[in-house]
Amino acid sequence: MLQFMKEGLSGRNGQYFAVVAAVMLVAPLIFWKLDLPFAANAMLLCLMFSIMAMAWNLLEGYTGQLSFGHAVFFGVGAYTTMILMLYYGVTPWVGIFVGGLVAALVGLALGVPLFRLRSHWFALATIAVGEIFKLIFISWDYVGGSAGLQSPIVPEEQKLYYLQYAGSYVYIYLALGLLGLELLVLYPLVNSRIGYYLQAIREDEDAAMSLGINPFKYKMVAMFFSALFTGIGGGIYTVRFRFVDPFAVFDLISVSVYITIAGILGGIYSFIGPIVGSFVFVPISEYVRVYIVSRFPRFYGLHVFVLGVILLAISLLAPEGIMGWLEKRGYLRKGRETGEVRKE
Amino acid sequence: MIGLDYVANAVVSGILIGSVYSLVGMGLALIWGIMDVINFAQGDYMMIGAFVTYWAFTLAGVDPLLSVPLSFLATFALGVLTQRVVIERVLDAPMVSQITATFAVLLMIRYGAEAAFGPYTKRIYVPYADVIYRFGTVSLQLPRLIAFSVSLGVAVAFYVFLKTTYTGVALRAVSQNRMAAYLMGINVRKMYWIAFGIGVGISAVGGTLVATFLPIHPEMGGFYALIAFIVVVFGGFGSVFGAYISGIIIGVTESVSALFISPSLKDVVAFLLFIAIILVKPTGLFGTEQR
């Protein structure tokens, strides 16, 4: 694992990484000092979608399984964190990881039937699974039904235990830490034997099988980590927004499709593409939502329309995404960090 | 125990609403069958049909029945435009690009409509909305009965169109073998425009029909799009006849299962059925073509 980190972070890449990491660590302090809640919130959402889009990309970009059902894992992670906190007084420091694990187990359970399906059948079935989860949570009284659940209000001295802070500033560090953890887990994974098996399955499942790779087994490995980190993203949502309801966390558009947009926009054949994609589309969407839609409620939905335009432009003009586009024009050196196999 | 009259009522209302599912599903089946592209925005063209009807009724007092051709033509034009600007460019692209492109169209239509028309639920009150016929214990609302009749008429007309007209035969030829059809002198590109236009136009007729008895909303298309996928998969890939029958079966399944479980879970039954079918028999009930 350390070997991979060394290779990935040597030379130029290491310098870039250090600069970006330093900016990310200092930015929340600046936002806090200058009192810029919008910027802080947008940055938190960027990081949250980075975590989830990277996890999603393990399935789509590396394994070739296009999922529109990641809201399931997001929602399960969010609800688990909330239920543990609200009903059992478990700190979200533990709850977020338990939420991730529960989401991963749900992912494995869903993988058994879903991975028998290929290409667009898989995509369609994941949409149906997302809707099923939404409808079940709406009519499940234990989790608050359609009204959802709200975090307990805690006294001042328990702020750290229950992770309740005003604004997004503190949560940015939480999200940064979790994104760092994800990089530490996924980077070695995709550069290992398993990562190459996954890409072989993406390129040609039958050929991979004839080489002795068990596609189902490795798809399940990808599903486990993909669901795990998407569930962790749900946990961040719970601690930051303190309210979960089925319509918000299991939404096809504002969760599953947003994750997909982040991945596609950044470039699905690139490891860090989804992070780039998140940091491009979330600020645009948030800007339109907060500064135009909130002021003129008449234009509700405009921010999603803008995302539609972005998604259309990228699918027609540069289906390889921002990272692939940069690479094709020689602004990026082709290498480990930007994905290996082109899908032509 | 649930009385037989409840079941009879549920079956009848399932058939009536199912005929609308059939229209949306038939349009999807046509596009899917001919171009091998899944139109994720199918339900949103239906929503456009509902809004055309709403505005025609509210602004000009046009009876919803008269706006059937209006919403068909408006959506047909929008469909041809979509085909020219978007779908044509991704026909030979990888699956991911096709799916994301139609998803982008979905986001633009659904949320463009929301930004333009406002995020509020709207209703049409037609003069005959409260006319109810009773046959024994079964009661029928006139608008739903009209919806069923129009849907059946459109389905028959569409079937005749596909079987007898030159364009219909050419469409079927293109769906079977694009290259051979091209060599026989069929303008394949034009056939694709027509196919996409008719596919979304039929869906819009469904939107017009539900607008007479259900609330309309810019985000209403999402539910019908999912139902349309179920209809197509159930009826068999590319089978327009199968889509009509299976739409009605889905409608009945939903409304009967609403009697036995919580009404909010009735769609779960349909979605589970969907997953079960694609796992067991992806070619559907009436499909023979192996994909």
Side-chain angles (χ1 to χ4, degrees), chain A residues 180-248:
Chain A
L181 177 75
E182 185 178 14
L183 288 168
L184 279 176
V185 173
L186 292 192
Y187 188 78
L189 182 79
V190 299
N191 286 298
S192 71
R193 200 165 38 88
I194 296 175
Y196 296 122
Y197 286 172
L198 294 179
Q199 290 172 42
I201 293 168
R202 177 189 81 204
E203 293 302 318
D204 191 335
E205 194 170 330
D206 296 315
M209 216 182 318
S210 70
L211 291 172
I213 299 171
N214 178 353
F216 179 73
K217 182 174 144 197
Y218 291 101
K219 281 180 188 173
M220 288 293 260
V221 172
M223 176 63 107
F224 179 85
F225 287 103
S226 191
L228 177 75
F229 285 105
T230 311
I232 285 176
I236 298 175
Y237 176 89
T238 295
V239 291
R240 167 64 183 92
F241 296 101
R242 292 173 211 158
F243 176 69
V244 288
D245 75 295
F247 302 100

Side-chain angles (χ1 to χ4, degrees), chain B residues 12 21 46 50 56 60 85 87 100 102 129 150 153 164 182 211 219 221 238 272 277 283:
Chain B
V12 170
Y21 296 168
M46 179 199 175
V85 178
I87 312 294
T100 54
T102 60
V150 174
T164 59
Y182 177 73
E219 292 186 30
L272 284 175
I277 293 165
T283 51

Side-chain angles (χ1 to χ4, degrees), chain A residues 17-31 43 46-47 50 169 172-173 175-176 179 275-276 279:
Chain A
F17 183 81
V19 170
V20 171
V23 169
M24 295 248 194
L25 286 171
V26 176
L29 282 176
I30 297 172
F31 296 154
M43 185 176 173
C46 287
L47 289 167
S50 297
Y169 309 103
I172 293 177
Y173 288 106
L176 271 175
L179 180 62
I275 300 182
V276 176
F279 273 86

Side-chain angles (χ1 to χ4, degrees), chain B residues 237-252:
Chain B
F237 169 85
S239 161
V240 173
F241 166 75
Y244 197 82
I245 301 297
S246 65
I248 288 176
I249 296 177
I250 303 291
V252 172

Side-chain angles (χ1 to χ4, degrees), chain A residues 60 66 68 113 116-117 120-121 127-129 131-132 135 139 253 257 264 298-301 304-305 308 312 315 319, chain B residues 32 38 40 86 96-97 99-100 103-104 108 111-112 114-116 119 226 233 264-265 267-268 271 274-275 278-279:
Chain A
E60 162 50 28
L66 179 57
F68 282 113
R116 292 178 51 195
L117 303 166
H120 52 249
W121 296 112
I127 294 181
V129 168
E131 290 306 301
I132 290 173
L135 292 168
S139 48
I253 303 292
V257 174
I264 302 274
R298 175 71 192 66
F299 296 116
Y300 180 81
V304 196
F305 175 78
L312 183 65
S315 341
Chain B
W32 199 341
I38 305 180
F40 281 89
V86 182
V96 186
S97 301
I99 293 182
T100 54
F103 243 106
M108 287 167 69
Y111 294 94
E114 194 154 55
L226 285 170
V233 168
S264 60
L265 284 176
D267 300 326
V268 171
F271 296 143
F274 171 64
I275 294 176
I278 52 180
L279 283 172

